[in-house]
Amino acid sequence: MLRPPLEAHTRTQINLRLKNLGWNLNEKDPKCTVTQEQAKTDKLNALFQGKKPDYVLYDTDGKNPIGIIEAKRPGEDLNEAMRQAIDLYGKPLDVPLAFAFNDTFVTAKHIKQNRPLKIDGEELQDFIDQFISLRFIREGAEILSAPKGINFSREDLLAIFKRTNNLLRKEGLRDGYERFSVFAEILFLKLVDESERLNEHRGLPRTIEEQFCWSDFTAPNKYTDDELLTFIQDSVWTRLRKKYGDIFNSHLDIRNPSTLREIIERIDPINFVATDTDVKGDAFEYFLKSVTNGNKDLGEYFTPRHVVRTMVHMVKPIFGETIYDPFCGTGGFLLEAFKYLSLRVDTTKPDVLKLVREQTVFGRELTSTARITKMNMILFGDGHSNIEQIDSLANPINEKYDIVLSNIPYSQETEYGGYYDIPTKNADSICIQHIWKALKPGGRAAVIVPETFLYNGGKIGQTRELIAKGAEKLSIVSLPRGVFMPYTPTKTNIIYFKKGGQFKKVYFFVVFNDGFELNTKRKAKSGDSDLKLLLSEYDDLTTIKGQANIVERETIKASGNWNMRPFYYMEDIPEVDSELVPLSTDILREVKDKIDPRENPDDFYGVLQVSQHGVFLDDTILGSDFTQEYKRVRAGDLVYNPYRVNIGSIGIVPPFLDGMLVSPAYVVFRPKSEDYPAAYLLSVLKSERYLRVIMNYSLGSARASLPFSELTRIKAPKLSEDDIKSLNTLQSNLDESTTQVNTVRQNINRYMEQYMETKEGKTAKAEQAHKPTDYGITQSEFYSLLGKAAQPIKPEPDSEQS
């Protein structure tokens, strides 16, 4: 049995990463910015009371300590490492920053604010350079990612893009992506020029002649508007296409010279002054994140970078391995994998750098977004030559890559299913089969899939079985509904597998908090996220009640279709003092009784609706106007909308609505046991804690849906006899009061109908003389009045929740 690596191995990794980030580890140099196992002076060392810090970080001139790094061997507790970093060294030294690392995961804190370090709301998952460290000291525990030396804000960039977008729309570019692409090309020209000038300043040769660079052709008074457009189209574009190939269109898609001049004038003041060559990539990535956040006009969804980084850390790329994304979009996965490896290899060796740049990352993209991917990779240090614009599904690959990272396109159809072992038009299945086929034996994949991929039958079920029978390792990470907002509310998961052999156990982990609000704004939340918890646990898997579970292979197989849904094997049970009992079919009975109103075409039927405000009469409909059967409900039944019960759309049918109809899509049930009164069940299921249980037990990708079968899995506290009697009394009083209120409302409505000076009122008076005295109104009028009386105070439909 192999022994785990020693702490020395962790330190080797730290040294390499710090060196690649530009920290000075040469302790013979007075301007050294890192010391190991000591501080620089006896006075500072005395503060440690005989203990030795693993690393002390210093500011630019190497005089003032700014941070501590605590190193642990793989698998050791990072929380304890962070405590040591802060209490034993950080506080005595009075430094603001602390890092802990166990060869797998980095955790970082602002000691003085006692908060995790975050950039754009995302917790750090790796070490940072000195410039970013100093920003955290100046600005606090959370900073934005505007790159070094850039003199514009996110809002400034969005304003520039918005104005440019409008200009390009006038140019006839109707498609949002076309406009985005043209702006990206022009920004790329600016960034390339910055890179060329920086190389020139360092004494390095230019790769593009000065006359073809931004700072030359945009010089004041050098070209008229017409001349500038002609020069860029005929000369600059030709030169850049020669160097970079097809990342540029055949021509710049702008016809109006004044439009080009205005766009250039808006971009030109943006300053990219910096000493770090990677600033160009930072700026382009910053641009991509800024203008695509919530911009549905572009027609693409972008995987959040903190999720991408988590997946890269799950597969742990190693130098020499090949990494593939068959649906690479703008290249987020490939870019993060490239940056991950660049920190972990000796980039001073030309052969190492050449391998990382040219023979490591490979991507395919069906759309012209592939050009943006290439730009992105070039600006971050190359790797673009292996990006193809091609339909991956039409071109299967056989056992070629060590790692696959991807977010598959959901809910599509494909005509190329016949190229794969399980033929189907379902692209969800074919995408996963393509990935499986592309992996070498022993290869690893981390892929985002829709929720339905985990449990649907048919071809999807067969695809799961293909993985289950051929994967040595398998893990499922459930992402929260809303992680892809504002693009889509689709529920997704990360599926991780290692090809070859058969797994013995499956690890399930549920992410409730990804560090951001789960709505369209996606604002960062304070505190630690569950993604941090996932990575800290991933090499030493443990169970966490209601969040993480380890399930035996035979249990997965016994599900009948290799079900991989986390809450199929876990329960979400609230912490309460009393006994918890499943709301099984011994306690609840589903009501499925339906009638077909079309059999009585001349009769009117009351149709109920349910919202967060309860059950109310929504409409009265003639029998001949129905298109299908409806469910009939009785007083005391509980009714919920399966797609909105997660936000409390559930209610009890009151006595005055007895016998009316509800949509067949609604779930209707009633208590079989007197130990669980309807009023009690309603209160439980609408409570905040149980709304979370409902969300966890819900099915579906695009919209959460709670079928009755999942409702019966929920465990609720058992009431005492006295509690039951009290609840029944209160419910009886409520029913009586509701009926009385409804009667008063009907009388008010009837009064208004009789005495308002309207044609309708007069007609009602005339008809009144011909109606039976014991009834008073027609059936249609009764339902009309009842509808008015039964409407909630705020009848508007409840808002959708992702």
Side-chain angles (χ1 to χ4, degrees), residues 740-756 785 788-789:
Q740 290 174 354
V741 169
N742 186 66
T743 301
V744 171
R745 285 179 176 173
Q746 287 185 52
N747 289 337
I748 291 173
N749 288 335
R750 186 178 293 113
Y751 179 89
M752 296 301 294
E753 288 285 349
Q754 290 176 344
Y755 293 100
M756 284 289 289
L785 292 174
K788 295 175 183 177

Side-chain angles (χ1 to χ4, degrees), residues 6 34 39 106 166 181 422 504 692 716 756 767:
L6 299 175
V34 180
V106 173
N166 291 332
S181 180
I422 305 170
K504 295 180 179 178
R692 190 183 105 162
M756 284 289 289
E767 290 180 355

